[in-house]
Amino acid sequence: MKPKATLKKIAEKLQISISTVSRALKDHPDISLETRKKVREFAEMMEYEPNTYAISLRTNHSKVFAIIVPAITNFFYQSFISAVEEESRLHGYSLMILQSGDNPETELDNLKLCRQNRVAGLFVSITIKTTDIRAFLKMEDLDVPVIFFDKVPDFEACNKVCVADRAAAELAAEALLRHKRKKILALFGNDQMSITRKRKEAFTSIIEGQKKIKFKADHAHNPEEARRLIHRYCGNGLTYDGIFCMSDDILTGVMKAVQELKYVVPRDVSVIAMSDGFLPQLYEPEISFVETSGYKLGKVAFTRMLACLSGSTFVQEIMVDAVLMERGSL
Amino acid sequence: MKPKATLKKIAEKLQISISTVSRALKDHPDISLETRKKVREFAEMMEYEPNTYAISLRTNHSKVFAIIVPAITNFFYQSFISAVEEESRLHGYSLMILQSGDNPETELDNLKLCRQNRVAGLFVSITIKTTDIRAFLKMEDLDVPVIFFDKVPDFEACNKVCVADRAAAELAAEALLRHKRKKILALFGNDQMSITRKRKEAFTSIIEGQKKIKFKADHAHNPEEARRLIHRYCGNGLTYDGIFCMSDDILTGVMKAVQELKYVVPRDVSVIAMSDGFLPQLYEPEISFVETSGYKLGKVAFTRMLACLSGSTFVQEIMVDAVLMERGSL
DNA sequence: ATATCGAGCGCAAAGGTTTGCGGAAATGTT
DNA sequence: AACATTTCCGCAAACCTTTGCGCTCGATAT
C-alpha cells in the first residue's frame, strides 16, 4: 500500500513550503523557473495527483456530472449516456449514473446521492410517476444546473432538451400516407407521459386531416401488450395496411406478432417506428423509422450543460430535429 | 443559493461545540440523550447532509465504485451495470461509469479518473488490446479492489468473475447434436479475446468428438461480417443445418442473412446463440440460447467486491453457471 | 547612503469532518 | 468530608489544497 504523494510530502523532500509547491505546479509566475522545474520533475517522479476531495472541499463543487434515468437498459438512454460520457471525459468530468427504476422514491434517493456528491450538474429523465419536481429545482438553488431530457416535466421554467416529438410523429404519419396506406393502426405507450400525448396528438391530427382513411389508435405499456393488440386487430384477416409504433418497445411486440401471423412486410402491411435505429435494422426488410437519436440528444444536452455552468441562466427548451429514415418496410 | 448546513453552523446556532454535534448525530454514548435529540431535530430541520468531500478527505476513500467497460451500448454490459448499480445504491455507494471505447489509452485515462476520485473499488472489463494490466494492479496497492469481469486478463493473481464460457459453449454444442444436426457452422468473435478462444475450444472439442459431423468454424468481428459469412457459406443451397453464434452481435448478423435468404428456422436450419436473452426473443421463432447473464454476473461481482473490501485478500476466479434456454429455433 | 521596487518564497487561514484526550461538574463510595 | 468514578462535553489536530498577504533580499534609482 504505497502512500500517495501530496503537496506536503513533496515540500518536505524538497525543503520548500507547501504553497511554493502548489504554485510551482500551477506555473505561477511568482515562482522561479528553476524551482518550478525542480518541483515539476519531482512531482512527476512521485506520480503526484492532486487530491480531488481537498479541491472539492475548498471549491464546494466537483468535476462530476450525474445522470438519472428510469433504466439504463434502454437503447435510447444508452446512447444518450454514451454521448454524455464521451463529452464529459473530453472536458475533464466524470459521469455518475443512477437508475430510478421508474420509482419516484428511488429517484429522490438518487437525487440525495447527487447532493451528497456535490455533483457539478445533473441530467435527468424523470419517471412516469414523477409529479413533484421541486426537489430538482432545489438543486438549481444550490447552483447545480439540471437538464431535463426525453421525459421532461410540463413545468415551464426549467432546462429541457428533447426530440421534436410532434414533428417526428408527423413525419411518420406523412410517410404512411405517401405510401398510400389507407387503413392505419397506431400504437402508443403509456398515456401518462407527455411524450406519448405529444406524439399521439401530432400523428392523429395529420391522419384525421385526410379523407377516406380508416384509423385506429391504441396504447400498449410493454412489448407483450403490443403483440396482443396486433393479434386482436389483425389476427383474422388484414384489417390494417399500415402500423405505426411509437417506440422500440412497441415495435418489438408488433413485429413479433406480425411474424407469428406470417404477414409479409411491406406487401401485407407497412410498418414504421420511432426509434434510434438499432432495432429497426435487425429485421428483414429493415423497418423504416423516424430517428430519435439519444446520441444527438446527449451531445446537445451536454452543450446546454456547459452553457449553464458558464453562467447562462437563460432557461430554454431545446428541440432536436427528427429525421425520417426510409428502409424497406413501407 | 441557499448555503448548505454544516456541523459548524449547527453548533453555532445551538451554542455547543462542533464535536458535540458530530457525535450527537452519530448517536455517540458520550452525548446526553437530551442533546442528541435536540441536535438531531435541528439538523433535520436544516436539512443537514454530511459533506462527502470532507469525509473522503479524512478517510481517503469514497463511497463510489467505478466501472470501466469498452462500451455501455452492449446488452451484456448494460445488464451487468444495471445489477451493480442496484446493489451499489442498496449499500450506500454510487457508481461511476466510464467507457474505454476499446482504446487502451482511454482506458488509462479512465483509470486516472478513478484514482483522482479515490474510488472505493473498480469493476473492469478490459479492451481487446489491453495487454499490460500493471496499471490496474497498482490500484490494488492503493487498497482499491479491482474486479475483472467478462473480458478478463490471463494473468493469474487477480479477481475475476466470468461466465463459465467453456461449459456454456459445450451446452450449445450438445444441444445442436441432440437435435440431430449433422452439418454445423460456428461463428466466433475476435480471436484475440481469451473469451473467444475458450468458447471455440470447448465448442470444437465437443463437435469433433462426434463421428460423421461436418463442421466449420469462422470468425466475424461485427454483425455485417457475420451476415456476409452466412451468405458465403449458405448462399447457394443449404450446406449447413445448424448455426452457432458466439454472441449477440453475431446472432443479429446471422439472422439478417437467414431472413434475406428466406430460410425457415428451424425447418431449414437450426440456430443457437450465446446471449443474455433479449435479442433471441425478438425473433420468430425465438432463438434458443445459452444464457450468459450480465445481470447475474453483476450481482456476483458485487458480492465479491464487498468481500474484498471487508478484507478478503483471497484472490479467486469465480464462474457463473450458464443455462441452456431452449426456444423454438432448434 | 537611502529610498524604491520586484522577484521569490512562506505564513496562515479556510473548507467540513472525525477523534483522542483532557477537563469540569455531578454522582457515587468510604 | 475526602476521594473515586461517571457523565458530558470541548480543544485541537489532521486530512490536502488554495490564496491573499507579507516578508526578505538583492538590485536599481535618487
Side-chain angles (χ1 to χ4, degrees):
Chain A
M1 184 180 58
K2 178 189 60 176
K4 296 249 351 164
T6 67
L7 291 186
K8 193 177 181 180
K9 284 174 195 157
I10 296 178
E12 276 168 11
K13 294 284 177 195
L14 259 40
Q15 298 276 34
I16 51 180
S17 81
I18 296 178
S19 20
T20 302
V21 178
S22 174
R23 278 189 259 253
L25 289 174
K26 293 193 129 47
D27 261 340
H28 194 289
D30 262 14
I31 310 299
S32 72
L33 285 171
E34 192 191 4
T35 309
R36 275 188 244 177
K37 180 153 173 284
K38 203 169 56 184
V39 171
R40 213 180 313 130
E41 284 172 357
F42 189 73
E44 186 104 7
M45 210 198 63
M46 297 272 286
E47 297 184 340
Y48 170 76
E49 279 176 8
N51 185 319
T52 322
Y53 292 129
I55 297 174
S56 293
L57 179 57
R58 268 186 69 85
T59 62
N60 202 29
H61 76 12
S62 67
K63 293 287 256 178
V64 176
F65 289 133
I67 177 166
I68 304 180
V69 292
I72 62 170
T73 51
N74 168 307
F75 296 109
F76 185 80
Y77 293 139
Q78 215 178 111
S79 50
F80 182 92
I81 294 172
S82 196
V84 174
E85 198 275 340
E86 272 180 35
E87 290 295 322
S88 294
R89 189 162 36 71
L90 258 37
H91 287 80
Y93 284 85
S94 304
L95 190 59
M96 179 162 286
I97 308 211
L98 302 160
Q99 304 186 83
S100 62
D102 252 325
N103 180 345
E105 275 181 47
T106 311
E107 200 171 41
L108 287 181
D109 283 353
N110 286 336
L111 208 50
K112 186 172 183 178
L113 282 177
C114 290
R115 266 180 277 126
Q116 288 180 347
N117 286 294
R118 302 290 199 277
V119 296
L122 176 59
F123 300 90
V124 49
S125 177
I126 56 177
T127 75
I128 297 178
K129 298 162 206 143
T130 305
T131 50
D132 183 3
I133 60 161
R134 275 177 303 177
F136 291 104
L137 299 180
K138 259 192 189 171
M139 295 294 286
E140 305 214 311
D141 292 342
L142 298 170
D143 276 342
V144 177
V146 178
I147 313 276
F148 292 96
F149 69 96
D150 193 45
K151 311 244 176 70
V152 301
D154 288 329
F155 182 69
E156 294 272 316
C158 53
N159 283 293
K160 306 182 206 178
V161 178
C162 38
V163 175
D165 284 299
R166 293 178 204 279
E170 288 170 8
L171 276 179
E174 284 160 2
L176 282 171
L177 295 176
R178 211 179 310 121
H179 284 266
K180 312 274 184 251
R181 302 293 106 180
K182 303 293 184 193
K183 298 170 289 182
I184 295 177
L185 175 61
L187 296 191
F188 299 91
N190 191 320
D191 210 4
Q192 303 231 24
M193 302 191 295
S194 69
I195 193 176
T196 300
R197 289 196 301 272
K198 283 186 201 165
R199 293 179 182 187
K200 190 174 173 186
E201 282 167 19
F203 190 91
T204 306
S205 76
I206 292 287
I207 299 293
E208 294 189 336
Q210 298 297 117
K211 312 278 181 197
K212 298 188 202 160
I213 297 283
K214 173 179 174 185
F215 177 57
K216 172 80 187 172
D218 208 337
H219 297 267
H221 296 82
N222 53 53
E224 182 52 22
E225 273 189 42
R227 179 175 155 275
R228 284 210 214 97
L229 284 178
I230 295 299
H231 275 284
R232 188 195 312 161
Y233 290 128
C234 310
N236 351 297
L238 266 168
T239 16
Y240 293 96
D241 60 5
I243 304 178
F244 168 76
C245 309
M246 191 198 91
S247 66
D248 272 332
D249 262 12
I250 307 234
L251 174 65
T252 60
V254 166
M255 286 308 293
K256 197 72 187 300
V258 165
Q259 291 173 337
E260 284 165 356
L261 294 169
K262 309 263 187 264
Y263 290 143
V264 175
V265 176
R267 194 196 61 193
D268 301 332
V269 62
S270 292
V271 177
I272 189 166
M274 290 186 63
S275 168
D276 77 330
F278 175 77
L279 284 177
Q281 50 102 29
L282 292 185
Y283 297 96
E284 168 56 31
E286 296 187 2
I287 306 298
S288 298
F289 62 98
V290 177
E291 188 193 51
T292 58
S293 159
Y295 194 81
K296 257 191 228 167
L297 202 67
K299 296 283 185 180
V300 170
F302 194 88
T303 307
R304 181 75 197 120
M305 174 65 81
L306 290 187
C308 285
L309 284 176
S310 56
S312 155
T313 55
F314 185 63
V315 164
Q316 55 176 340
E317 178 166 1
I318 303 180
M319 295 284 199
V320 174
D321 277 348
V323 188
L324 174 66
M325 311 293 270
E326 288 229 28
R327 298 291 184 262
S329 71
L330 284 184
Chain B
M1 184 179 58
K2 176 191 60 179
K4 295 254 346 168
T6 67
L7 291 187
K8 196 177 181 181
K9 285 174 195 158
I10 295 177
E12 277 168 11
K13 294 283 177 194
L14 259 40
Q15 297 278 31
I16 51 180
S17 79
I18 296 178
S19 21
T20 303
V21 177
S22 175
R23 278 188 260 252
L25 290 174
K26 294 194 128 46
D27 262 339
H28 194 289
D30 261 14
I31 309 300
S32 71
L33 285 171
E34 192 190 6
T35 309
R36 275 189 243 176
K37 181 153 173 283
K38 203 169 56 183
V39 171
R40 214 182 312 132
E41 283 171 359
F42 189 73
E44 186 105 5
M45 212 195 65
M46 297 271 287
E47 296 185 339
Y48 169 76
E49 279 176 9
N51 186 319
T52 324
Y53 293 128
I55 297 173
S56 294
L57 177 58
R58 265 187 68 85
T59 61
N60 202 30
H61 77 8
S62 67
K63 292 288 257 180
V64 176
F65 289 133
I67 176 164
I68 303 180
V69 293
I72 62 170
T73 51
N74 169 308
F75 296 109
F76 185 79
Y77 292 140
Q78 213 179 112
S79 50
F80 182 91
I81 294 171
S82 197
V84 173
E85 198 275 339
E86 272 181 33
E87 289 295 322
S88 294
R89 190 163 35 71
L90 258 36
H91 287 80
Y93 284 84
S94 303
L95 190 60
M96 178 164 286
I97 308 208
L98 302 159
Q99 304 186 84
S100 62
D102 251 327
N103 179 348
E105 277 181 45
T106 311
E107 200 171 42
L108 287 181
D109 283 352
N110 286 336
L111 208 50
K112 186 171 182 179
L113 281 177
C114 291
R115 267 180 277 124
Q116 287 179 348
N117 285 295
R118 303 288 199 280
V119 296
L122 176 59
F123 300 91
V124 50
S125 176
I126 56 178
T127 76
I128 296 178
K129 299 160 203 146
T130 305
T131 50
D132 183 3
I133 61 161
R134 275 176 304 177
F136 290 104
L137 299 180
K138 258 192 188 173
M139 295 294 286
E140 305 214 311
D141 291 343
L142 298 170
D143 275 344
V144 177
V146 179
I147 313 276
F148 292 96
F149 70 95
D150 193 45
K151 311 246 174 69
V152 302
D154 287 331
F155 181 69
E156 294 272 317
C158 53
N159 283 293
K160 306 184 210 178
V161 178
C162 37
V163 174
D165 285 299
R166 293 178 203 280
E170 287 170 9
L171 276 180
E174 285 160 2
L176 282 171
L177 295 176
R178 212 177 312 120
H179 284 265
K180 311 273 184 253
R181 302 293 107 180
K182 302 293 184 194
K183 297 171 288 182
I184 294 176
L185 175 61
L187 296 190
F188 298 91
N190 190 319
D191 211 4
Q192 303 233 24
M193 300 190 297
S194 69
I195 192 176
T196 300
R197 290 196 301 272
K198 282 186 201 163
R199 293 179 182 187
K200 188 174 174 184
E201 283 167 17
F203 190 91
T204 306
S205 78
I206 292 287
I207 298 294
E208 293 187 337
Q210 298 298 117
K211 312 279 181 199
K212 299 187 199 160
I213 297 282
K214 173 180 175 186
F215 177 57
K216 171 80 187 171
D218 207 338
H219 297 268
H221 297 82
N222 53 52
E224 183 52 22
E225 274 189 41
R227 182 176 153 273
R228 284 210 213 96
L229 285 177
I230 295 299
H231 274 283
R232 189 198 308 163
Y233 289 127
C234 309
N236 352 297
L238 266 169
T239 17
Y240 293 96
D241 61 4
I243 304 178
F244 168 76
C245 308
M246 190 198 93
S247 66
D248 272 331
D249 262 11
I250 305 218
L251 174 65
T252 60
V254 166
M255 286 308 292
K256 197 72 188 296
V258 165
Q259 291 173 337
E260 284 164 355
L261 295 168
K262 309 260 186 267
Y263 290 142
V264 175
V265 176
R267 194 197 63 195
D268 301 332
V269 61
S270 291
V271 176
I272 189 167
M274 290 186 63
S275 168
D276 77 330
F278 175 77
L279 283 177
Q281 49 103 27
L282 292 185
Y283 297 96
E284 167 56 31
E286 297 187 3
I287 307 299
S288 296
F289 62 98
V290 178
E291 188 193 50
T292 59
S293 159
Y295 194 81
K296 257 192 229 165
L297 202 68
K299 297 282 185 182
V300 170
F302 193 89
T303 306
R304 181 75 197 120
M305 174 64 81
L306 289 187
C308 284
L309 284 177
S310 56
S312 156
T313 56
F314 185 62
V315 164
Q316 56 176 336
E317 178 167 1
I318 303 180
M319 295 284 201
V320 174
D321 277 348
V323 187
L324 174 65
M325 309 293 269
E326 289 229 30
R327 297 292 185 262
S329 71
L330 285 183

